[in-house]
Amino acid sequence: AEVGIDLAGRVPREITPEELADCEYVVTMGCSAGDVCPAGWGGENRDWDLDDPDGKSPEEAAAIRDEIARRVRALVDELGGERNG
């Protein structure tokens, strides 16, 4: 909520191989996508190896959130896309 994102009622879930089939990139936060990506998938997996914010102080969780935002902006720039914010 601190940055205008409402996560109330959101529950983490696994992404299915069917959802990944058309993806060019998969970014994980500290785990491999190898066991989820479909056989023959030709995309790129990047593991950002970030700490899990669960159980962290608000300040630690905010630092992880800010690092994710920084990396997403850098990835969008790298891929030549447009970004909002």
Side-chain angles (χ1 to χ4, degrees), residues 10-14:
R10 300 298 303 224
V11 178
R13 66 173 181 81
E14 287 190 23

Side-chain angles (χ1 to χ4, degrees), residues 4-42:
I5 300 171
D6 181 9
L7 296 178
R10 300 298 303 224
V11 178
R13 66 173 181 81
E14 287 190 23
I15 296 173
T16 67
E18 293 78 23
E19 291 172 307
L20 294 173
D22 293 328
C23 294
E24 293 181 37
Y25 294 89
V26 172
V27 176
T28 55
M29 302 295 164
C31 58
S32 171
D35 59 339
V36 181
C37 292
W41 179 67

Side-chain angles (χ1 to χ4, degrees), residues 39-68:
W41 179 67
E44 181 180 335
N45 176 38
R46 296 185 187 191
D47 182 5
W48 285 350
D49 194 27
L50 297 167
D51 288 336
D52 186 344
D54 187 40
K56 303 281 191 219
S57 71
E59 294 80 15
E60 291 170 311
I64 295 166
R65 176 205 63 214
D66 294 345
E67 179 63 12
I68 292 168

